[in-house]
Amino acid sequence: MEKLDNSIRDYDWGSSSAITELLGRTPTGGPEAELWIGSHPGAPSRLRTNGRSLADVLKENPEAMLGSEVLASQPADCVSLPFLMKVLSADAPLSLQVHPDAFQAQAGFELEERQGVPIEAPHRMYKDPRPKPEMILALTPFKALTGFRSAEASIPAWELLRDNSSRESTRMLAQTVIEHLENRDYKAALSYVLSGIEDIAGIVTDAVQIVEDMAARDADALREVDALLPLLPWLESKYPQDAGVLVSLLLNYVELEPGEAVALQAGNIHAYLHGTAIEVMGNSDNVLRCGMTTKYINVDELLSITRFASLEPTWVRPTQEKPGIELYSTDFDEFELIRINGTSTGAVSLRGPACIIALAGNLTVSGSDGSQVQLTRGESAFIPAAAGELSIESDEQAHAYMCATPRARQKPAAAA
């Protein structure tokens, strides 16, 4: 077991203080969006003892580090953790985005490799050949958009815009979207908002003005039409005249309380809006964007991998493994998340490697191989598969998260 030093990504939507306050770190002075814990080449963790990249360490003794089952599930030329864990803090909305499935990621990566697109190029879409299923677990009240909501839930907001605008282009866009939704054609609705009309900047401004005027007259009535409508002025203040502001009206709006989690499958269009959370995902940085971003947008590619169906949020409910230890499990093969909350003395069985971060208190993780690591607030560690069954001891103030390979299943061996 090795303690880790981890990189913070300074994306412009990040909070300047939330991660440092949570972990007791020194502020960088800029936005701090994501702390990455894992072996992804974009920002691999490093061993605290000698500064070596975790990505390199895994390759030196892959079976001991990853375990035979995880190793067999990966292509012969890929030795990495199957998951990536992050501490994420959003002070502004993230981009509206979609992640590819395994087939789409492999095909997209290979195509851009053949085309000679540099990995770090701003317009590079597929940075690795892996899918990126993910789960977000709130540490603070957390707001997000996830998946297309039902047409019935979405149409009233568009009717309000249509019926309260003096602008012909606004009325036309709203009516066209309504017709697509009535036909359950989510692809046509999304495509039209993103690229089907020239006056989109003016329409966004007009829509926000309609919402602000109605909120001033009767805020409760506005929320009764659609709880998403009051968000439009805030979204537009962060991304002025951006079509993504209107795309939000097609999506489910969720508010998570601390400890609540949702899973997001490949093809699920989503955007995290505000709050601090633990995010776990497949070990990938493949993101296709269509709005509310300063980064590269490719609407056609995003449309090619999006799931165009009404998708209710996939809530992930924890199950108690032992006192103080809870498991958040999904259908994904890449990861599961274990929460350690308060006093605990118990064993946890792993089938592969794990990464752990402590947010408060003190805990000790011991392996059946005799290895051990002690963690306090802000510290993280890598736990190799060779550690075997783990014994966890934590104090009353302990609050920690461990990302690991799911124990009940594993992908079949990949072709070499």
Side-chain angles (χ1 to χ4, degrees):
M1 302 185 193
E2 292 274 1
K3 289 186 180 181
L4 299 173
D5 288 322
N6 309 295
S7 298
I8 288 184
R9 311 309 296 266
D10 60 351
Y11 307 136
D12 54 8
W13 47 262
S15 168
S16 62
S17 60
I19 291 179
T20 57
E21 290 174 1
L22 178 70
L23 302 180
R25 298 167 60 108
T26 302
T28 63
E32 299 174 359
E34 296 176 346
L35 178 84
W36 284 29
I37 308 170
S39 64
H40 192 279
S45 299
R46 296 187 175 275
L47 305 193
R48 180 166 293 182
T49 53
N50 56 24
R52 296 193 62 211
S53 164
L54 179 58
D56 293 337
V57 172
L58 297 181
K59 295 173 184 176
E60 291 179 355
N61 193 354
E63 186 156 345
M65 297 293 104
L66 301 177
S68 58
E69 292 183 71
V70 170
L71 189 60
S73 74
Q74 299 183 347
D77 59 348
C78 177
V79 175
S80 68
L81 294 176
F83 53 77
L84 176 63
M85 179 162 62
K86 301 179 182 179
V87 181
L88 176 150
S89 191
D91 208 29
L94 280 69
S95 56
L96 281 161
Q97 59 189 263
V98 177
H99 307 309
D101 62 24
F103 175 81
Q104 293 162 342
Q106 183 75 37
F109 179 80
E110 291 178 354
L111 176 61
E112 289 188 310
E113 287 289 281
R114 291 196 300 271
Q115 293 173 338
V117 182
I119 288 291
E120 297 304 323
H123 62 288
R124 177 82 186 222
M125 295 175 288
Y126 297 92
K127 297 181 182 297
D128 50 69
R130 296 180 293 275
K132 192 185 177 187
E134 60 188 43
M135 179 177 71
I136 194 88
L137 184 149
L139 298 175
T140 68
F142 195 88
K143 299 179 175 67
L145 303 170
T146 169
F148 290 103
R149 55 181 171 167
S150 68
E152 291 78 10
S154 188
I155 284 174
W158 296 98
E159 291 177 334
L160 180 142
L161 297 181
R162 180 195 63 191
D163 298 342
N164 289 275
S165 179
S166 60
R167 192 184 189 96
E168 182 181 355
S169 58
T170 301
R171 295 195 303 269
M172 182 175 70
L173 179 136
Q175 179 58 34
T176 302
V177 170
I178 290 168
E179 292 171 1
H180 289 319
L181 291 174
E182 288 174 338
N183 293 323
R184 306 300 187 268
D185 193 341
Y186 299 99
K187 183 174 183 178
L190 177 63
S191 179
Y192 187 68
V193 174
L194 291 175
S195 54
I197 194 163
E198 293 183 359
D199 189 27
I200 192 63
I203 295 171
V204 173
T205 301
D206 184 39
V208 169
Q209 189 63 57
I210 292 168
V211 169
E212 290 179 332
D213 290 346
M214 186 168 181
R217 294 194 305 269
D218 193 338
D220 290 339
L222 180 68
R223 283 190 292 270
E224 286 179 9
V225 173
D226 192 328
L228 255 170
L229 284 167
L231 285 178
L232 261 61
W234 178 68
L235 295 174
E236 206 269 343
S237 73
K238 303 296 184 180
Y239 298 101
Q241 301 182 334
D242 193 300
V245 174
L246 295 180
V247 172
S248 69
L249 297 177
L250 298 171
L251 308 180
N252 293 293
Y253 173 54
V254 296
E255 295 182 319
L256 288 77
E257 293 300 316
E260 293 184 326
V262 292
L264 296 98
Q265 305 86 349
N268 182 329
I269 184 169
H270 63 282
Y272 301 141
L273 303 180
H274 192 270
T276 302
I278 294 290
E279 186 184 22
V280 290
M281 64 202 71
N283 187 20
S284 172
D285 195 28
N286 288 325
V287 183
L288 282 300
R289 302 176 179 88
C290 68
M292 297 198 304
T293 184
T294 58
K295 296 182 179 180
Y296 178 68
I297 287 175
N298 189 316
V299 172
D300 290 340
E301 186 67 17
L302 178 135
L303 293 175
S304 74
I305 69 168
T306 300
R307 292 181 64 186
F308 291 105
S310 176
L311 298 172
E312 290 296 318
T314 304
W315 293 90
V316 183
R317 313 293 182 187
T319 58
Q320 184 164 317
E321 296 278 285
K322 293 175 178 65
I325 300 176
E326 294 177 307
L327 174 66
Y328 290 80
S329 183
T330 70
D331 292 333
F332 305 140
D333 292 312
E334 288 83 358
F335 61 80
E336 65 184 11
L337 187 66
I338 297 166
R339 179 168 68 169
I340 302 159
N341 199 24
T343 304
S344 172
T345 300
V348 173
S349 298
L350 299 181
R351 297 177 68 246
C355 288
I356 184 170
I357 184 168
L359 304 184
N362 299 280
L363 70 153
T364 299
V365 181
S366 304
S368 59
D369 66 345
S371 60
Q372 186 180 88
V373 65
Q374 295 178 327
L375 300 174
T376 189
R377 178 188 177 196
E379 292 189 317
S380 62
F382 167 69
I383 301 170
E389 185 173 78
L390 305 180
S391 172
I392 296 175
E393 295 186 11
S394 58
D395 64 19
E396 186 177 358
Q397 289 76 40
H399 185 196
Y401 292 89
M402 179 188 295
C403 186
T405 305
R407 288 165 283 171
R409 60 190 185 278
Q410 181 63 42
K411 290 181 179 179

